[in-house]
Amino acid sequence: MLDENLARIRAHRNNIHRYRRLLKTRLSQLERQFIERRLAEERSALDGLTATTFPVGFRAAEAPTGAMGMAQ
């Protein structure tokens, strides 16, 4: 299951990179709108998949004053 999800994450990331490259080229307004919509869909799918694959979020806890290991 994890291998499948990692492969899907990789595919979404590749698609996102491809769409970003395409947006740097000359496109008609219709083509640009289509690619921007697809890019938003890929980002949304990637966010959802990473949230379910890696449900634990890590946040850096703020260290108490003077707890940085420095002598005062």
Side-chain angles (χ1 to χ4, degrees), residues 1-11 49 53-54:
M1 178 79 168
L2 181 62
D3 289 339
E4 292 173 9
N5 286 349
L6 292 176
R8 287 183 182 126
I9 288 171
R10 193 171 30 258
L49 186 58
T53 304
F54 307 108

Side-chain angles (χ1 to χ4, degrees), residues 8-71:
R8 287 183 182 126
I9 288 171
R10 193 171 30 258
H12 287 301
R13 285 184 44 212
N14 290 342
N15 289 341
I16 289 169
H17 290 299
R18 183 173 59 249
Y19 291 139
R20 285 181 181 161
R21 278 194 314 270
L22 283 171
L23 287 174
K24 293 178 183 178
T25 64
R26 276 185 77 172
L27 301 167
S28 71
Q29 190 61 29
L30 183 63
E31 291 169 327
R32 185 167 301 278
Q33 288 173 352
F34 174 80
I35 292 172
E36 287 172 348
R37 187 175 64 244
R38 290 294 300 138
L39 180 58
E41 291 170 359
E42 289 290 340
R43 285 179 178 158
S44 177
L46 178 61
D47 290 344
L49 186 58
T50 54
T52 58
T53 304
F54 307 108
V56 178
F58 296 101
R59 290 189 70 169
E62 290 188 29
T65 306
M68 297 300 292
M70 303 167 117

